[in-house]
mmCIF file of all heavy atoms in Angstrom:
data_model
loop_
_atom_site.group_PDB
_atom_site.id
_atom_site.type_symbol
_atom_site.label_atom_id
_atom_site.label_comp_id
_atom_site.label_asym_id
_atom_site.label_seq_id
_atom_site.Cartn_x
_atom_site.Cartn_y
_atom_site.Cartn_z
ATOM 1 N N GLY A 210 223.563 -102.326 -130.674
ATOM 2 C CA GLY A 210 223.873 -100.846 -130.669
ATOM 3 C C GLY A 210 222.905 -100.067 -129.800
ATOM 4 O O GLY A 210 221.890 -100.571 -129.347
ATOM 5 N N TYR A 211 223.229 -98.797 -129.643
ATOM 6 C CA TYR A 211 222.404 -97.898 -128.880
ATOM 7 C C TYR A 211 221.055 -97.744 -129.564
ATOM 8 O O TYR A 211 220.997 -97.906 -130.799
ATOM 9 C CB TYR A 211 223.118 -96.575 -128.872
ATOM 10 C CG TYR A 211 222.581 -95.638 -127.811
ATOM 11 C CD1 TYR A 211 222.961 -95.723 -126.476
ATOM 12 C CD2 TYR A 211 221.619 -94.655 -128.158
ATOM 13 C CE1 TYR A 211 222.450 -94.930 -125.504
ATOM 14 C CE2 TYR A 211 221.119 -93.816 -127.146
ATOM 15 C CZ TYR A 211 221.525 -93.964 -125.841
ATOM 16 O OH TYR A 211 221.006 -93.152 -124.884
ATOM 17 N N THR A 212 220.030 -97.431 -128.810
ATOM 18 C CA THR A 212 218.703 -97.306 -129.426
ATOM 19 C C THR A 212 218.645 -96.224 -130.496
ATOM 20 O O THR A 212 219.299 -95.150 -130.319
ATOM 21 C CB THR A 212 217.614 -97.157 -128.369
ATOM 22 O OG1 THR A 212 216.336 -97.079 -129.071
ATOM 23 C CG2 THR A 212 217.796 -95.877 -127.514
ATOM 24 N N ASN A 213 218.055 -96.491 -131.610
ATOM 25 C CA ASN A 213 217.887 -95.522 -132.752
ATOM 26 C C ASN A 213 219.193 -95.341 -133.562
ATOM 27 O O ASN A 213 219.296 -94.407 -134.343
ATOM 28 C CB ASN A 213 217.421 -94.150 -132.238
ATOM 29 C CG ASN A 213 216.511 -93.485 -133.239
ATOM 30 O OD1 ASN A 213 215.717 -94.175 -133.873
ATOM 31 N ND2 ASN A 213 216.635 -92.173 -133.424
ATOM 32 N N ALA A 214 220.151 -96.239 -133.345
ATOM 33 C CA ALA A 214 221.459 -96.084 -134.083
ATOM 34 C C ALA A 214 221.338 -96.531 -135.554
ATOM 35 O O ALA A 214 222.107 -96.155 -136.340
ATOM 36 C CB ALA A 214 222.555 -96.897 -133.388
ATOM 37 N N GLY A 215 220.305 -97.365 -135.813
ATOM 38 C CA GLY A 215 220.103 -97.817 -137.145
ATOM 39 C C GLY A 215 220.308 -99.268 -137.349
ATOM 40 O O GLY A 215 220.643 -99.746 -138.466
ATOM 41 N N LYS A 216 220.081 -100.086 -136.371
ATOM 42 C CA LYS A 216 220.267 -101.512 -136.401
ATOM 43 C C LYS A 216 219.275 -102.184 -137.379
ATOM 44 O O LYS A 216 219.650 -102.928 -138.232
ATOM 45 C CB LYS A 216 220.110 -102.209 -135.026
ATOM 46 C CG LYS A 216 221.052 -101.702 -134.015
ATOM 47 C CD LYS A 216 220.817 -102.256 -132.614
ATOM 48 C CE LYS A 216 219.486 -101.694 -132.027
ATOM 49 N NZ LYS A 216 219.442 -100.272 -131.846
ATOM 50 N N SER A 217 217.992 -101.848 -137.173
ATOM 51 C CA SER A 217 216.946 -102.412 -138.016
ATOM 52 C C SER A 217 217.132 -101.989 -139.513
ATOM 53 O O SER A 217 216.972 -102.759 -140.442
ATOM 54 C CB SER A 217 215.561 -102.067 -137.511
ATOM 55 O OG SER A 217 215.418 -102.456 -136.207
ATOM 56 N N SER A 218 217.541 -100.683 -139.658
ATOM 57 C CA SER A 218 217.760 -100.201 -141.053
ATOM 58 C C SER A 218 218.893 -100.973 -141.653
ATOM 59 O O SER A 218 218.869 -101.224 -142.891
ATOM 60 C CB SER A 218 218.131 -98.705 -141.015
ATOM 61 O OG SER A 218 217.205 -97.952 -140.298
ATOM 62 N N THR A 219 219.929 -101.279 -140.893
ATOM 63 C CA THR A 219 221.098 -102.054 -141.440
ATOM 64 C C THR A 219 220.651 -103.415 -141.863
ATOM 65 O O THR A 219 221.031 -103.912 -142.924
ATOM 66 C CB THR A 219 222.220 -102.044 -140.430
ATOM 67 O OG1 THR A 219 222.535 -100.695 -140.055
ATOM 68 C CG2 THR A 219 223.452 -102.736 -140.948
ATOM 69 N N LEU A 235 210.765 -103.617 -138.959
ATOM 70 C CA LEU A 235 210.377 -102.251 -138.743
ATOM 71 C C LEU A 235 211.571 -101.378 -138.388
ATOM 72 O O LEU A 235 212.341 -101.640 -137.504
ATOM 73 C CB LEU A 235 209.347 -102.211 -137.565
ATOM 74 C CG LEU A 235 209.012 -100.834 -137.001
ATOM 75 C CD1 LEU A 235 207.980 -100.145 -137.903
ATOM 76 C CD2 LEU A 235 208.529 -100.884 -135.583
ATOM 77 N N GLU A 236 211.704 -100.259 -139.090
ATOM 78 C CA GLU A 236 212.716 -99.232 -138.743
ATOM 79 C C GLU A 236 211.933 -97.939 -138.569
ATOM 80 O O GLU A 236 211.066 -97.617 -139.297
ATOM 81 C CB GLU A 236 213.785 -99.117 -139.807
ATOM 82 C CG GLU A 236 213.285 -98.810 -141.190
ATOM 83 C CD GLU A 236 214.320 -98.663 -142.264
ATOM 84 O OE1 GLU A 236 214.878 -99.683 -142.679
ATOM 85 O OE2 GLU A 236 214.632 -97.498 -142.625
ATOM 86 N N LYS A 237 212.296 -97.182 -137.553
ATOM 87 C CA LYS A 237 211.518 -95.994 -137.236
ATOM 88 C C LYS A 237 212.371 -95.036 -136.433
ATOM 89 O O LYS A 237 213.178 -95.459 -135.624
ATOM 90 C CB LYS A 237 210.291 -96.435 -136.396
ATOM 91 C CG LYS A 237 209.108 -95.553 -136.636
ATOM 92 C CD LYS A 237 207.891 -96.213 -136.022
ATOM 93 C CE LYS A 237 206.713 -95.241 -136.083
ATOM 94 N NZ LYS A 237 205.593 -95.656 -135.318
ATOM 95 N N ASP A 238 212.089 -93.759 -136.627
ATOM 96 C CA ASP A 238 212.852 -92.762 -135.875
ATOM 97 C C ASP A 238 212.213 -92.585 -134.478
ATOM 98 O O ASP A 238 211.601 -91.596 -134.187
ATOM 99 C CB ASP A 238 212.841 -91.419 -136.594
ATOM 100 C CG ASP A 238 213.785 -90.427 -135.968
ATOM 101 O OD1 ASP A 238 214.580 -90.806 -135.116
ATOM 102 O OD2 ASP A 238 213.703 -89.183 -136.292
ATOM 103 N N GLN A 239 212.446 -93.562 -133.651
ATOM 104 C CA GLN A 239 211.972 -93.506 -132.301
ATOM 105 C C GLN A 239 212.816 -94.415 -131.346
ATOM 106 O O GLN A 239 213.432 -95.314 -131.852
ATOM 107 C CB GLN A 239 210.494 -93.863 -132.119
ATOM 108 C CG GLN A 239 210.159 -95.290 -132.383
ATOM 109 C CD GLN A 239 208.634 -95.552 -132.182
ATOM 110 O OE1 GLN A 239 207.847 -94.687 -132.238
ATOM 111 N NE2 GLN A 239 208.375 -96.819 -131.914
ATOM 112 N N LEU A 240 212.873 -94.062 -130.091
ATOM 113 C CA LEU A 240 213.662 -94.867 -129.156
ATOM 114 C C LEU A 240 212.910 -96.189 -129.023
ATOM 115 O O LEU A 240 211.664 -96.238 -128.942
ATOM 116 C CB LEU A 240 213.773 -94.152 -127.809
ATOM 117 C CG LEU A 240 214.400 -92.802 -127.850
ATOM 118 C CD1 LEU A 240 214.462 -92.176 -126.470
ATOM 119 C CD2 LEU A 240 215.862 -92.921 -128.381
ATOM 120 N N PHE A 241 213.653 -97.253 -128.952
ATOM 121 C CA PHE A 241 213.051 -98.568 -128.705
ATOM 122 C C PHE A 241 211.939 -98.988 -129.705
ATOM 123 O O PHE A 241 210.880 -99.466 -129.327
ATOM 124 C CB PHE A 241 212.510 -98.733 -127.271
ATOM 125 C CG PHE A 241 213.520 -98.365 -126.248
ATOM 126 C CD1 PHE A 241 213.343 -97.296 -125.382
ATOM 127 C CD2 PHE A 241 214.677 -99.071 -126.094
ATOM 128 C CE1 PHE A 241 214.276 -96.971 -124.414
ATOM 129 C CE2 PHE A 241 215.592 -98.787 -125.136
ATOM 130 C CZ PHE A 241 215.388 -97.707 -124.319
ATOM 131 N N ALA A 242 212.197 -98.758 -130.974
ATOM 132 C CA ALA A 242 211.279 -99.266 -132.007
ATOM 133 C C ALA A 242 211.252 -100.754 -131.989
ATOM 134 O O ALA A 242 210.286 -101.412 -132.207
ATOM 135 C CB ALA A 242 211.683 -98.705 -133.390
ATOM 136 N N THR A 243 212.443 -101.308 -131.833
ATOM 137 C CA THR A 243 212.576 -102.787 -131.736
ATOM 138 C C THR A 243 212.627 -103.206 -130.301
ATOM 139 O O THR A 243 213.496 -102.806 -129.505
ATOM 140 C CB THR A 243 213.878 -103.291 -132.417
ATOM 141 O OG1 THR A 243 213.916 -102.608 -133.711
ATOM 142 C CG2 THR A 243 213.894 -104.766 -132.600
ATOM 143 N N ASP A 262 218.518 -108.955 -135.408
ATOM 144 C CA ASP A 262 218.284 -107.572 -135.014
ATOM 145 C C ASP A 262 217.846 -107.576 -133.557
ATOM 146 O O ASP A 262 217.018 -108.366 -133.170
ATOM 147 C CB ASP A 262 217.156 -106.977 -135.892
ATOM 148 C CG ASP A 262 216.925 -105.519 -135.623
ATOM 149 O OD1 ASP A 262 217.806 -104.844 -135.059
ATOM 150 O OD2 ASP A 262 215.834 -105.042 -135.990
ATOM 151 N N THR A 263 218.468 -106.702 -132.730
ATOM 152 C CA THR A 263 218.146 -106.752 -131.319
ATOM 153 C C THR A 263 217.563 -105.455 -130.779
ATOM 154 O O THR A 263 217.602 -104.459 -131.479
ATOM 155 C CB THR A 263 219.442 -107.031 -130.524
ATOM 156 O OG1 THR A 263 220.375 -105.962 -130.758
ATOM 157 C CG2 THR A 263 220.100 -108.345 -130.928
ATOM 158 N N ILE A 264 217.164 -105.458 -129.536
ATOM 159 C CA ILE A 264 216.668 -104.316 -128.851
ATOM 160 C C ILE A 264 217.790 -103.312 -128.618
ATOM 161 O O ILE A 264 218.954 -103.729 -128.398
ATOM 162 C CB ILE A 264 216.013 -104.780 -127.504
ATOM 163 C CG1 ILE A 264 215.641 -103.557 -126.662
ATOM 164 C CG2 ILE A 264 216.942 -105.675 -126.724
ATOM 165 C CD1 ILE A 264 215.011 -103.975 -125.337
ATOM 166 N N GLY A 265 217.477 -102.041 -128.680
ATOM 167 C CA GLY A 265 218.559 -101.053 -128.536
ATOM 168 C C GLY A 265 218.903 -100.894 -127.045
ATOM 169 O O GLY A 265 218.131 -101.164 -126.162
ATOM 170 N N PHE A 266 220.129 -100.395 -126.800
ATOM 171 C CA PHE A 266 220.537 -100.169 -125.401
ATOM 172 C C PHE A 266 220.379 -98.706 -125.058
ATOM 173 O O PHE A 266 220.397 -97.813 -125.853
ATOM 174 C CB PHE A 266 221.978 -100.614 -125.234
ATOM 175 C CG PHE A 266 222.256 -102.008 -125.691
ATOM 176 C CD1 PHE A 266 223.588 -102.421 -126.016
ATOM 177 C CD2 PHE A 266 221.248 -103.010 -125.682
ATOM 178 C CE1 PHE A 266 223.813 -103.714 -126.442
ATOM 179 C CE2 PHE A 266 221.506 -104.261 -126.110
ATOM 180 C CZ PHE A 266 222.821 -104.652 -126.434
ATOM 181 N N ASN A 328 227.551 -95.889 -138.640
ATOM 182 C CA ASN A 328 226.441 -95.698 -139.494
ATOM 183 C C ASN A 328 226.065 -94.136 -139.545
ATOM 184 O O ASN A 328 226.595 -93.382 -138.777
ATOM 185 C CB ASN A 328 225.216 -96.466 -138.887
ATOM 186 C CG ASN A 328 224.047 -96.413 -139.744
ATOM 187 O OD1 ASN A 328 224.105 -96.336 -140.980
ATOM 188 N ND2 ASN A 328 222.834 -96.373 -139.113
ATOM 189 N N LYS A 329 225.081 -93.788 -140.367
ATOM 190 C CA LYS A 329 224.642 -92.437 -140.626
ATOM 191 C C LYS A 329 225.834 -91.574 -141.012
ATOM 192 O O LYS A 329 225.883 -90.374 -140.624
ATOM 193 C CB LYS A 329 223.944 -91.860 -139.341
ATOM 194 C CG LYS A 329 222.793 -92.724 -138.812
ATOM 195 C CD LYS A 329 221.828 -92.004 -137.964
ATOM 196 C CE LYS A 329 220.845 -92.997 -137.304
ATOM 197 N NZ LYS A 329 219.866 -92.376 -136.400
ATOM 198 N N TRP A 330 226.748 -92.102 -141.739
ATOM 199 C CA TRP A 330 227.924 -91.406 -142.213
ATOM 200 C C TRP A 330 227.547 -90.217 -143.052
ATOM 201 O O TRP A 330 228.241 -89.228 -143.133
ATOM 202 C CB TRP A 330 228.942 -92.352 -142.902
ATOM 203 C CG TRP A 330 230.310 -91.808 -142.959
ATOM 204 C CD1 TRP A 330 231.010 -91.370 -144.016
ATOM 205 C CD2 TRP A 330 231.175 -91.622 -141.782
ATOM 206 N NE1 TRP A 330 232.247 -90.923 -143.681
ATOM 207 C CE2 TRP A 330 232.400 -91.050 -142.318
ATOM 208 C CE3 TRP A 330 231.066 -91.858 -140.485
ATOM 209 C CZ2 TRP A 330 233.474 -90.735 -141.477
ATOM 210 C CZ3 TRP A 330 232.141 -91.558 -139.636
ATOM 211 C CH2 TRP A 330 233.346 -91.011 -140.153
ATOM 212 N N ASP A 331 226.388 -90.356 -143.745
ATOM 213 C CA ASP A 331 225.878 -89.276 -144.622
ATOM 214 C C ASP A 331 225.630 -88.056 -143.789
ATOM 215 O O ASP A 331 225.666 -86.923 -144.263
ATOM 216 C CB ASP A 331 224.597 -89.735 -145.302
ATOM 217 C CG ASP A 331 223.527 -90.173 -144.316
ATOM 218 O OD1 ASP A 331 223.626 -91.328 -143.817
ATOM 219 O OD2 ASP A 331 222.662 -89.425 -144.012
ATOM 220 N N ALA A 332 225.375 -88.191 -142.510
ATOM 221 C CA ALA A 332 224.975 -87.054 -141.684
ATOM 222 C C ALA A 332 226.155 -86.558 -140.832
ATOM 223 O O ALA A 332 225.974 -85.652 -140.004
ATOM 224 C CB ALA A 332 223.821 -87.439 -140.776
ATOM 225 N N PHE A 348 229.632 -96.193 -142.829
ATOM 226 C CA PHE A 348 228.430 -96.854 -143.440
ATOM 227 C C PHE A 348 227.260 -95.899 -143.495
ATOM 228 O O PHE A 348 227.153 -94.973 -142.657
ATOM 229 C CB PHE A 348 228.087 -98.133 -142.658
ATOM 230 C CG PHE A 348 226.994 -98.916 -143.219
ATOM 231 C CD1 PHE A 348 227.200 -99.706 -144.367
ATOM 232 C CD2 PHE A 348 225.691 -98.873 -142.686
ATOM 233 C CE1 PHE A 348 226.206 -100.472 -144.913
ATOM 234 C CE2 PHE A 348 224.654 -99.680 -143.222
ATOM 235 C CZ PHE A 348 224.932 -100.463 -144.317
ATOM 236 N N SER A 349 226.371 -96.073 -144.431
ATOM 237 C CA SER A 349 225.178 -95.300 -144.437
ATOM 238 C C SER A 349 224.025 -96.120 -145.022
ATOM 239 O O SER A 349 224.141 -96.707 -146.105
ATOM 240 C CB SER A 349 225.343 -93.990 -145.235
ATOM 241 O OG SER A 349 224.017 -93.441 -145.460
ATOM 242 N N ASN A 350 222.955 -96.167 -144.298
ATOM 243 C CA ASN A 350 221.731 -96.836 -144.831
ATOM 244 C C ASN A 350 220.994 -95.950 -145.832
ATOM 245 O O ASN A 350 220.278 -96.426 -146.714
ATOM 246 C CB ASN A 350 220.796 -97.129 -143.683
ATOM 247 C CG ASN A 350 221.214 -98.361 -142.896
ATOM 248 O OD1 ASN A 350 221.331 -99.408 -143.403
ATOM 249 N ND2 ASN A 350 221.534 -98.102 -141.643
ATOM 250 N N LYS A 351 221.310 -94.660 -145.660
ATOM 251 C CA LYS A 351 220.643 -93.701 -146.577
ATOM 252 C C LYS A 351 221.197 -93.782 -147.939
ATOM 253 O O LYS A 351 220.525 -93.843 -149.008
ATOM 254 C CB LYS A 351 220.769 -92.310 -145.961
ATOM 255 C CG LYS A 351 219.607 -91.402 -146.378
ATOM 256 C CD LYS A 351 219.673 -90.160 -145.513
ATOM 257 C CE LYS A 351 218.625 -89.168 -146.025
ATOM 258 N NZ LYS A 351 218.745 -87.943 -145.292
ATOM 259 N N THR A 352 222.555 -93.712 -148.074
ATOM 260 C CA THR A 352 223.241 -93.675 -149.353
ATOM 261 C C THR A 352 223.735 -95.040 -149.752
ATOM 262 O O THR A 352 224.208 -95.228 -150.826
ATOM 263 C CB THR A 352 224.434 -92.724 -149.318
ATOM 264 O OG1 THR A 352 225.387 -93.233 -148.402
ATOM 265 C CG2 THR A 352 224.069 -91.287 -148.875
HETATM 266 N N1 LIG B 29 220.634 -90.132 -142.035
HETATM 267 C C1 LIG B 29 220.546 -91.445 -141.732
HETATM 268 N N2 LIG B 29 219.558 -91.906 -141.026
HETATM 269 C C2 LIG B 29 219.497 -93.262 -140.769
HETATM 270 C C3 LIG B 29 220.542 -94.176 -141.249
HETATM 271 N N3 LIG B 29 220.246 -95.366 -140.771
HETATM 272 C C4 LIG B 29 219.113 -95.299 -140.069
HETATM 273 N N4 LIG B 29 218.677 -93.981 -140.081
HETATM 274 C C5 LIG B 29 217.443 -93.537 -139.420
HETATM 275 O O1 LIG B 29 217.535 -93.683 -138.031
HETATM 276 C C6 LIG B 29 216.333 -93.985 -137.420
HETATM 277 C C7 LIG B 29 216.373 -95.166 -136.560
HETATM 278 O O2 LIG B 29 216.621 -96.326 -137.379
HETATM 279 P P1 LIG B 29 216.309 -97.819 -136.876
HETATM 280 O O3 LIG B 29 216.923 -98.727 -137.892
HETATM 281 O O4 LIG B 29 214.926 -97.998 -136.543
HETATM 282 O O5 LIG B 29 217.198 -97.844 -135.556
HETATM 283 P P2 LIG B 29 217.340 -99.006 -134.494
HETATM 284 O O6 LIG B 29 218.763 -99.007 -134.036
HETATM 285 O O7 LIG B 29 216.785 -100.265 -135.000
HETATM 286 O O8 LIG B 29 216.461 -98.433 -133.260
HETATM 287 P P3 LIG B 29 215.663 -99.152 -132.080
HETATM 288 O O9 LIG B 29 215.108 -100.417 -132.618
HETATM 289 O O10 LIG B 29 214.655 -98.131 -131.696
HETATM 290 O O11 LIG B 29 216.732 -99.407 -131.004
HETATM 291 C C8 LIG B 29 215.331 -94.100 -138.598
HETATM 292 O O12 LIG B 29 214.614 -92.876 -138.715
HETATM 293 C C9 LIG B 29 216.226 -94.373 -139.755
HETATM 294 O O13 LIG B 29 215.613 -93.906 -141.025
HETATM 295 C C10 LIG B 29 221.570 -93.551 -142.029
HETATM 296 O O14 LIG B 29 222.518 -94.258 -142.496
HETATM 297 N N5 LIG B 29 221.557 -92.200 -142.242
#
Side-chain angles (χ1 to χ4, degrees):
Y211 196 82
T212 182
N213 216 38
K216 301 174 291 299
S217 303
S218 308
T219 303
L235 170 81
E236 56 177 76
K237 210 169 173 189
D238 189 13
Q239 69 177 19
L240 303 178
F241 305 118
T243 310
D262 182 20
T263 61
I264 173 179
F266 304 157
N328 186 35
K329 307 199 188 178
W330 200 248
D331 56 281
F348 184 74
S349 167
N350 285 297
K351 208 168 175 185
T352 64

